[in-house]
């Protein structure tokens, strides 16, 4: 019993000598960028409205709503019986003009035909060939093909419908890569350049982040808003992005390697910022020292340190109110960002319970 009583009396002194419990984090170097937010609208990399160029009835439809097509696929065919017959007639005229030209050419080589007659037959052949090209062009106007690979929209025509020039048949979008257009204040012009990374999120798609890069910056600044139009490219391999979608853009300007610490480690006095950095005492104890630091950009939970701290140094993130510069502290946990604070505090509580002596019982 005397030994147990002595231990109980000694325990507070030992706890006092060990110093207050703190949680620390290491200052680490990581990729960093200044973030500027904007709102943008998505556009397809290539987009076109498919329309008719002649007045004719639809004889065949080769696509369905939302179908993916390849470049050159036939979408719509129109009635072309008259043009088909005319094509056969013109081909026959071309063949006959070719035979007449060759016959006169053979005679002219032997001196049995004049040069003027040869020129006349050559003119007849050229005229027939030009007529053939014209008829083939008219036939092409009656076959509507996809100018590039993509996805078609809703079908606005039916079999047998009469279409006129300008009537919308469907739309076609190449959505493999999307264009994101947004405006940025002109004060950021010096840091805008092609290749600069962006992150974009759409409210309609939750918090999924889409990473892309700036492809072009407009050559003009809007004189009313003093903003500049910027275009970025976003890969869309899963085809979840669609033209017209509103997106929230984070522009990652001035990319660099930065020294960062958790925001909880910062102490403020007026406009000055401090941290409690741990140094090793003579007996190996952790001794906090008050260190003034210069800070840069912030992002949720972290802050950039531009001066006053080196990579790998440990700073106190929790327990700053109990720690005093020059007096030892007990490091209960190191916050490396992989565990939540509640788990670290639970670890500390468990350690405290393990160090508490058991209550004496009487026999």
């Amino acid at each position: 019993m005397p030994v147990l009583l002595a231990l109980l009396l000694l325990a507070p002194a030992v706890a006092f000598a060990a110093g207050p419990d703190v949680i620390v984090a290491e200052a680490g170097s990581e990729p960093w960028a200044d973030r500027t937010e904007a709102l943008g609208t998505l556009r397809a990399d290539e987009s076109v409205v498919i329309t008719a160029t002649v007045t004719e009835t639809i004889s065949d439809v080769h696509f369905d709503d939302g179908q993916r097509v390849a470049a050159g696929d036939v979408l719509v065919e129109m009635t072309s019986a008259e043009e088909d017959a005319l094509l056969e007639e013109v081909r026959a005229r071309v063949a006959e003009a070719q035979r007449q030209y060759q016959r006169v050419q053979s005679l002219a080589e032997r001196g049995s035909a004049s040069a003027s007659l040869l020129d006349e037959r050559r003119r007849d052949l050229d005229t027939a060939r030009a007529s053939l090209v014209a008829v083939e062009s008219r036939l092409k106007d009656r076959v509507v093909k996809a100018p590039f690979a993509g996805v078609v929209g809703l079908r606005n025509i039916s079999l047998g419908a009469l279409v006129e020039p300008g009537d919308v048949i469907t739309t076609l979008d190449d959505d493999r890569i999307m264009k994101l257009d947004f405006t940025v204040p002109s004060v950021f012009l010096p840091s805008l350049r092609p290749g600069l990374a962006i992150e974009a999120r759409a409210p309609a798609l939750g918090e999924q982040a889409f990473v892309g890069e700036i492809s072009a910056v407009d050559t003009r600044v809007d004189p009313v808003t003093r903003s500049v139009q910027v275009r970025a490219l976003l890969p869309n391999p899963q085809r979840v992005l669609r033209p017209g979608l509103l997106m929230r853009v984070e522009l990652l300007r001035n990319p660099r390697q930065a020294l960062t610490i958790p925001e909880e480690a910062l102490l403020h006095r007026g406009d000055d910022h401090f941290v409690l950095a741990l140094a090793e005492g003579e007996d190996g104890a952790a001794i906090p020292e008050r260190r003034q630091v210069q800070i840069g950009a912030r992002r949720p939970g972290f802050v950039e340190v531009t001066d006053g701290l080196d990579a790998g140094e440990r700073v106190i993130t929790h327990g700053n109110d109990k720690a005093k510069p020059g007096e030892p502290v007990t490091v209960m946990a190191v916050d490396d960002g992989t565990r939540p604070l509640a788990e670290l505090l639970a670890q500390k509580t468990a350690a405290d319970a393990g160090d508490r002596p058991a209550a004496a019982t009487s026999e």
Side-chain angles (χ1 to χ4, degrees):
M1 289 297 293
V3 174
L4 179 60
L5 181 61
L7 290 175
L8 291 173
L9 293 175
L10 184 61
V14 171
F16 178 79
D21 299 333
V22 297
I23 298 176
V24 301
E26 286 190 0
S29 179
E30 61 178 288
W32 197 265
D34 299 327
R35 295 176 178 256
T36 301
E37 292 190 355
L39 289 177
T41 302
L42 276 179
R43 304 179 187 276
D45 187 33
E46 299 291 346
S47 182
V48 68
V49 176
I50 305 296
T51 62
T53 58
V54 296
T55 300
E56 196 54 83
T57 57
I58 302 296
S59 61
D60 208 349
V61 178
H62 297 274
F63 72 95
D64 295 321
D65 299 336
Q67 179 180 333
R68 294 200 170 271
V69 297
D73 283 356
V74 176
L75 302 179
V76 169
E77 292 185 58
M78 302 181 193
T79 302
S80 59
E82 181 180 351
E83 284 70 24
D84 289 336
L86 187 58
L87 179 62
E88 293 299 323
E89 177 186 348
V90 174
R91 283 175 176 170
R93 287 164 49 191
V94 170
E96 178 60 24
Q98 180 73 32
R99 287 193 296 269
Q100 291 295 334
Y101 173 74
Q102 292 176 348
R103 184 179 298 114
V104 173
Q105 185 182 34
S106 177
L107 294 174
E109 290 175 353
R110 296 196 299 266
S112 301
S114 64
S116 60
L117 181 59
L118 180 62
D119 293 340
E120 183 179 347
R121 294 296 179 265
R122 183 184 293 112
R123 184 184 66 247
D124 293 341
L125 178 59
D126 292 342
T127 302
R129 286 174 174 172
S131 298
L132 178 61
V133 172
V135 173
E136 289 176 341
S137 177
R138 291 170 59 183
L139 274 173
K140 287 182 180 178
D141 290 339
R142 285 160 174 76
V143 178
V144 180
K145 297 182 179 181
F148 50 82
V151 58
V152 295
L154 300 179
R155 179 164 59 91
N156 297 319
I157 50 91
S158 298
L159 191 65
L162 177 66
V163 294
E164 297 179 351
D167 288 350
V168 177
I169 297 175
T170 187
T171 58
L172 178 63
D173 297 310
D174 182 0
D175 58 355
R176 292 171 297 180
I177 296 178
M178 303 296 291
K179 295 175 181 176
L180 180 60
D181 293 342
F182 55 95
T183 57
V184 176
S186 57
V187 295
F188 298 123
L189 265 177
S191 60
L192 296 178
R193 67 179 188 279
L196 194 64
I198 69 158
E199 290 181 4
R201 293 174 173 82
L205 301 177
E207 291 303 314
Q208 182 178 359
F210 298 87
V211 179
E213 62 181 28
I214 291 178
S215 63
V217 180
D218 198 356
T219 57
R220 295 184 178 183
V221 174
D222 190 316
V224 178
T225 62
R226 304 301 176 187
S227 59
V228 62
Q229 187 86 4
V230 180
R231 173 168 291 174
L233 297 180
L234 296 178
N236 188 28
Q238 304 301 323
R239 307 298 197 272
V240 295
L241 298 176
R242 298 194 177 189
L245 200 62
L246 178 69
M247 301 202 77
R248 186 176 69 254
V249 186
E250 283 189 347
L251 190 63
L252 308 181
R253 300 181 299 106
N254 189 23
R256 60 194 182 276
Q257 284 292 123
L259 187 68
T260 62
I261 60 173
E263 283 185 318
E264 296 89 345
L266 275 183
L267 304 173
H268 309 280
R269 177 181 293 175
D271 294 333
D272 297 329
H273 307 281
F274 301 87
V275 296
L276 290 180
L278 294 187
E280 187 175 348
E282 295 181 356
D283 55 353
I287 308 295
E289 66 176 40
R290 191 180 182 88
R291 189 93 56 83
Q292 184 172 1
V293 295
Q294 302 295 324
I295 65 173
R298 295 174 181 255
R299 70 184 185 195
F302 292 90
V303 61
E304 176 187 15
V305 177
T306 59
D307 190 29
L309 203 62
D310 295 325
E313 289 194 273
R314 296 190 298 174
V315 295
I316 298 177
T317 58
H318 295 84
N320 287 321
D321 54 338
K322 299 178 181 178
K324 296 181 180 180
E327 296 185 4
V329 295
T330 300
V331 178
M332 298 304 302
V334 177
D335 184 5
D336 58 2
T338 61
R339 295 182 295 172
L341 177 61
E343 183 178 335
L344 297 176
L345 293 177
Q347 175 181 332
K348 172 182 178 302
T349 303
D352 291 344
D355 291 341
R356 189 180 300 116
T361 57
S362 60
E363 296 182 359

